[in-house]
Amino acid sequence: MDALALAAQRLVEPPVDVFAALEYQPTPKQQVFHEAGEFDVLYGGAAGGGKSRALTAHAIRECVHYPGLRVGAFRRTYGELKESLIAELANLNFGKAVGASWNGTEYELRFPNKSVIMFRYAESVQDATRRQGGQYQLLVFDERTLTPPDVCSFLESRLRSGRRDIPVLGIRSGTNPGGPGHGAVKARYIEPTGYGERIVHDERGRTVRFIPSKLSDNPHVNPEYAADLQALPEKMRRAFLDGDWDTFAGQMFPELNRDRHIVAPFTIPASWTRYNGVDWGFTNPWAVLWVAVDEDGRVWVYREIYQPGVGESDQAKRILAAEEDGERLSARYADDAMWATRGDAKSIADIYTDNGVHLTRAGKGAGSRVTGWQRVRSYLGNGPACPHHRAMGWDECPMLHMFSTVTDLYRELVNLPHATVGNPEDADTTVDDHAADALRYVLTNLGTGAHAWIDHLRKKTRAQQEEAPPDAPEPEPAVQEPAAPQEDAATIRKRLRDAHFRAQR
């Protein structure tokens, strides 16, 4: 529903000027947010832009204007609600000036015209399913990036109206960069809109808008708060002071850079050793990476599959179908969970083997996740420049490159945050990390010899003017698959293709 249709459904003469009654005077940027007629609007960026107050006042105004409106106002926990939306509600005197009454037991603000704002927490999908029977015509998310994306998606499924006279107004969100939902919010609001330059439509044809906010947009911020933000470490300062969506507090791999780590596809030399990394999933995406290691120990990720809803047999078949004739892999490192048995059913690894794809356990012992992420970080660092980057005049380049076609891995790595619970050196397991895990499996299993080889290459660069470079360490031998599974894979690939062509006749 567009802005004109919504305006037509509003009361011609609202009983009161809601903002004036609340003694709330929007800043110019807050006013842009309140006037936005798009279905799905994100107001956010820097800290101190007045997002929580704008969301609270906006919900109150809509409840006054639309009798019988049901608004769901969400944050991750009740503690966070009390410190943000409910605190702002208190600053607005709980809407008493427009006849609202606060029920502190139910966390609900009720209006004489039967409208209601329900303040709720939702930290997990299980929390969100408690709202399964309800319906809302307006959803409000404060600090949206702190709520896992699947929680937001489930709550959005509750957005509907059973009455013609009560319109579905849509979604209003506020947030800073960072947190488990950073990548999802960036992909939904920030990048498609050109960082707020244009309005776009989602897959259902609904309008989506991003309204960026900065600290300077709020004249009410005291100088001490601004000074505190200026004193933050660089990443946090860029996120909270500048509203920079390309870096955020808690970012796992801030060194990742598209200009340095992404290269155009080329034909991988046959002499390079190749590996798979496989992270199994069905409801969550199944992720497969093809990785090649060159003569100098650099890693090149040249192919990926990333898809939910694919069964085990079809996963194996699609891996074989993606590979070229004669393409041989030394090992396919996979999630250890694929060897688990479920009742009388075969393990997923056995089903892969039955379909011509032999797997090797990645090995996920205690502490191996952190070790794996450290290995990823090591490869993202620089070594002596490869021929591609030497031709561009570079002296150094990353030890890991990704083809530009490997989009899901790059997206996951650049948006991956540190864990907020448990080991802070680990990654947050509530966000998309499926392709990142597949990469971790491979790099961990390249062995400590890879570390030594990288160190050697760096020393070699520093010593390149000397007569003799430092002695190279003996790299660990690559893990070799038995010949039989590879021969079986080639046979099965041919059989599958022959069957496909027969089916087309």
Side-chain angles (χ1 to χ4, degrees):
M1 185 177 294
D2 60 24
L4 291 177
L6 286 176
Q9 292 198 42
R10 284 186 173 172
L11 299 177
V12 176
E13 295 183 2
V16 293
D17 182 335
V18 175
F19 291 167
L22 296 174
E23 298 183 355
Y24 163 65
Q25 184 176 356
T27 67
K29 187 55 69 75
Q30 287 171 329
Q31 190 62 38
V32 171
F33 170 72
H34 294 309
E35 293 176 355
E38 291 73 30
F39 185 88
D40 188 359
V41 180
L42 174 72
Y43 177 42
K51 299 180 292 296
S52 297
R53 180 163 296 191
L55 289 168
T56 306
H58 190 86
I60 292 173
R61 187 191 69 177
E62 302 302 84
C63 282
V64 173
H65 286 183
Y66 297 98
L69 193 72
R70 291 171 58 87
V71 180
F74 288 91
R75 274 209 65 165
R76 183 171 53 179
T77 66
Y78 268 135
E80 292 175 355
L81 272 174
K82 291 177 181 178
E83 294 177 2
S84 58
L85 293 178
I86 295 176
E88 293 297 348
L89 184 61
N91 289 331
L92 298 171
N93 199 24
F94 293 95
K96 291 180 181 179
V98 292
S101 61
W102 172 246
N103 185 322
T105 303
E106 299 293 333
Y107 289 88
E108 293 182 355
L109 188 67
R110 297 171 181 170
F111 296 80
N113 64 1
K114 306 301 182 184
S115 293
V116 60
I117 304 175
M118 292 164 278
F119 294 85
R120 301 288 187 260
Y121 76 93
E123 189 171 11
S124 66
V125 173
Q126 183 178 2
D127 294 334
T129 57
R130 296 172 184 169
R131 326 297 170 199
Q132 189 165 355
Q135 57 180 244
Y136 309 101
Q137 291 81 54
L138 175 63
L139 283 176
V140 172
F141 293 105
D142 192 26
E143 291 302 344
R144 179 166 182 144
T145 58
L146 296 184
T147 302
D150 55 350
V151 173
C152 294
S153 296
F154 182 87
L155 292 171
E156 288 175 17
S157 71
R158 307 297 93 196
L159 197 60
R160 58 182 184 268
S161 176
R163 292 173 49 178
R164 289 180 176 272
D165 59 330
I166 303 179
V168 175
L169 302 183
I171 306 164
R172 294 295 181 269
S173 305
T175 199
N176 302 122
H182 176 94
V185 168
K186 185 178 178 182
R188 177 168 176 166
Y189 297 98
I190 314 304
E191 293 174 333
T193 66
Y195 291 71
E197 293 294 323
R198 57 184 176 270
I199 296 166
V200 297
H201 292 79
D202 65 13
E203 64 279 359
R204 296 174 59 182
R206 304 176 303 185
T207 48
V208 177
R209 183 175 181 181
F210 169 52
I211 300 173
S213 69
K214 293 188 176 182
L215 184 69
S216 58
D217 294 328
N218 189 352
H220 309 300
V221 172
N222 62 61
E224 291 81 6
Y225 184 65
D228 288 341
L229 292 180
Q230 288 280 5
L232 290 172
E234 181 184 0
K235 284 193 295 182
M236 295 182 68
R237 184 175 67 250
R238 289 170 61 185
F240 288 106
L241 182 63
D242 303 327
D244 187 345
W245 284 90
D246 293 329
T247 185
F248 58 91
Q251 187 175 19
M252 193 78 173
F253 301 114
E255 61 267 51
L256 193 61
N257 184 290
R258 179 171 293 277
D259 291 336
R260 298 186 65 81
H261 292 93
I262 300 297
V263 298
F266 59 86
T267 301
I268 297 293
S271 60
W272 291 6
T273 309
R274 306 184 190 208
Y275 304 91
N276 263 161
V278 183
D279 189 64
W280 183 83
F282 183 81
T283 302
N284 290 325
W286 153 63
V288 186
L289 301 179
W290 281 260
V291 170
V293 180
D294 68 16
E295 297 86 351
D296 288 329
R298 297 182 195 86
V299 170
W300 305 76
V301 186
Y302 63 95
R303 185 188 297 135
E304 71 176 357
I305 298 178
Y306 190 94
Q307 190 176 355
V310 181
E312 299 90 301
S313 297
D314 284 339
Q315 288 180 11
K317 293 172 184 177
R318 292 189 188 191
I319 288 173
L320 295 178
E323 295 173 353
E324 300 173 355
D325 288 335
E327 186 172 353
R328 297 179 62 86
L329 277 77
S330 290
R332 304 182 192 269
Y333 295 111
D335 186 345
D336 288 19
M338 297 176 71
W339 277 263
T341 56
R342 297 163 177 82
D344 295 331
K346 285 186 174 182
S347 72
I348 296 166
D350 286 339
I351 295 174
Y352 264 61
T353 300
D354 291 345
N355 286 274
V357 178
H358 181 76
L359 301 176
T360 300
R361 292 176 186 263
K364 300 195 299 183
S368 66
R369 282 181 55 86
V370 172
T371 300
W373 296 131
Q374 291 171 343
R375 187 65 53 83
V376 172
R377 182 170 289 108
S378 176
Y379 275 92
L380 290 174
N382 284 338
C386 66
H388 169 75
H389 285 114
R390 281 203 303 274
M392 298 170 61
W394 294 21
D395 294 325
E396 291 187 324
C397 72
M399 293 301 296
L400 184 144
H401 297 85
M402 289 167 268
F403 280 11
S404 57
T405 50
V406 182
T407 56
D408 286 298
L409 174 61
Y410 183 83
R411 172 184 59 81
E412 286 191 352
L413 288 176
V414 79
N415 293 324
L416 193 63
H418 280 282
T420 56
V421 296
N423 192 331
E425 294 302 315
D426 200 355
D428 192 324
T429 58
T430 66
V431 304
D432 286 346
D433 59 358
H434 317 290
D437 277 341
L439 177 66
R440 179 167 56 86
Y441 300 156
V442 174
L443 297 186
T444 299
N445 283 282
L446 288 182
T448 55
H451 269 310
W453 189 249
I454 292 172
D455 290 341
H456 158 69
L457 289 172
R458 289 171 178 158
K459 292 176 183 176
K460 182 178 178 180
T461 299
R462 291 193 296 266
Q464 60 186 345
Q465 299 301 325
E466 300 178 5
E467 290 186 5
D471 292 335
E474 187 70 24
E476 292 183 357
V479 177
Q480 297 293 330
E481 292 289 352
Q486 292 299 327
E487 293 174 0
D488 291 345
T491 301
I492 290 176
R493 185 187 297 114
K494 183 177 184 304
R495 175 168 54 80
L496 290 173
R497 289 175 177 170
D498 291 345
H500 172 75
F501 289 129
R502 285 197 300 272
Q504 302 301 315
R505 293 174 182 171

